[in-house]
Amino acid sequence: EIVLTQSPGTLSLSPGERVTLSCRASQSVGSNYLAWYQQKPGQAPRLLIYGASNRATGIPDRFSGSGSGTDFTLTISRLEPDDFAVYYCQQSGSSYTFGGGTKVEV
Amino acid sequence: QVQLQESGPGLVKPSQTLSLTCFVSGGSISSGGYYWGWIRQRPGKGLEWIGYSYFSGGTDYNPSLKSRAFISVDASRNQFSLKLSSVTAADTGVFYCARIGEWKYGWYFDLWGRGTLVTVSS
C-alpha cells in the first residue's frame, strides 16, 4: 500500500498569502496519478487537481499542482477567504489511498 | 447534473451489519464509464477508501476492509449499496458515496454525496 504523508498538519495564514502544501508518497506514484481535494467543514471533498498538475473543471487558476514520483505540491497563489479548509492528496496509481490532510486556517 | 445521495440507519449495534445505499439522480448508473464507490471518514481522521463496483459487476476493496465490505450496484433502481459486517465502535464515522471517473491522467473521485454519519453503539 502506498502511504501518503502530508505536511504540515496545520497552517495558520492570512488572506492574500501564498500557500504551499506537501504530499510525500512511500513509493513512487505510478504515472503521477495523484489528486488534491479540498474539504470544508460539513461538506464532502471536492476534486481540485488530478494527474498531479491538472486543474479539475471549474477550479480557479490560483490553485496549481506540481511534482512527480514521490514528492508532490499543491500551491495556492493568493489565499481567498473561501480557501480556508482541509486539503487532502490521494493517489490512484496503486489502489486508492489518501493522505492525512493539511488544515489551512486563519 | 448528476447528484449522489446516501441513505441508511444512523445507528448500528456492534457486531451487526452496516447497510447504506447511494441513489444516483440526473444520470444513469448503467451508462458506463464510471465506477461507484464508498469512502469513510472516522472522527478526527482522514479519508479512507472502502471499495468500488462497476455497474455490470467487478469490484475492488481496501485490503484492510476486504473481508467485511460488500458493494453492489442495482442498475434498475439507479443506486448502489455498501454492506459492512461485524461492525465495532471503530467503524463509527461519516460515510460518503462517490463516483470514480476517468480523467486524462488516472481515475479520481470526481463527484461525492453529502455524506451520512453512522454511529456504532449499543
Side-chain angles (χ1 to χ4, degrees), chain A residues 33 37 39 44 51 88 92 95, chain B residues 41 49 96 105 107-109 113:
Chain A
Y33 284 176
Y37 298 82
Q39 185 179 33
Y88 293 95
S92 54
S95 192
Chain B
Q41 187 166 34
W49 168 66
Y96 295 97
Y105 304 104
W107 292 78
Y108 302 100
F109 303 92

Side-chain angles (χ1 to χ4, degrees), chain B residues 15-18 65 67-70 83-88 91:
Chain B
S15 80
Q16 293 190 341
T17 296
L18 178 160
L65 295 167
S67 63
R68 298 195 293 129
F70 178 74
K83 292 187 185 300
L84 187 66
S85 62
S86 305
V87 296
T88 69
D91 291 308

Side-chain angles (χ1 to χ4, degrees), chain B residues 30-88:
Chain B
S30 58
S31 63
Y34 298 100
Y35 289 87
W36 304 94
W38 292 90
I39 299 100
R40 71 176 179 181
Q41 187 166 34
R42 289 179 282 182
K45 304 287 187 181
L47 299 162
E48 180 180 28
W49 168 66
I50 298 172
Y52 66 70
S53 179
Y54 196 62
F55 81 95
S56 58
T59 56
D60 194 13
Y61 299 97
N62 186 323
S64 69
L65 295 167
K66 187 173 184 177
S67 63
R68 298 195 293 129
F70 178 74
I71 296 173
S72 60
V73 175
D74 186 342
S76 66
R77 296 185 177 184
N78 222 37
Q79 63 188 37
F80 60 104
S81 300
L82 167 70
K83 292 187 185 300
L84 187 66
S85 62
S86 305
V87 296
T88 69

Side-chain angles (χ1 to χ4, degrees), chain A residues 2-94:
Chain A
I2 296 179
V3 177
L4 300 178
T5 302
Q6 292 187 241
S7 60
T10 303
L11 273 173
S12 298
L13 297 164
S14 300
E17 290 195 84
R18 180 183 179 88
V19 186
T20 301
L21 309 180
S22 173
C23 176
R24 178 161 291 178
S26 60
Q27 55 188 283
S28 183
V29 176
S31 303
N32 293 332
Y33 284 176
L34 185 113
W36 291 91
Y37 298 82
Q38 176 194 66
Q39 185 179 33
K40 298 177 184 177
Q43 297 185 19
R46 175 175 70 147
L47 178 65
L48 296 177
I49 301 287
Y50 67 94
S53 60
N54 303 275
R55 278 187 297 277
T57 307
I59 302 304
D61 60 7
R62 65 179 181 274
F63 291 93
S64 63
S66 63
S68 64
T70 60
D71 289 296
F72 300 89
T73 299
L74 174 70
T75 299
I76 309 172
S77 60
R78 286 177 57 86
L79 264 178
E80 299 273 336
D82 192 48
D83 299 337
F84 291 94
V86 180
Y87 293 84
Y88 293 95
C89 57
Q90 174 254 319
Q91 66 82 25
S92 54
S94 174

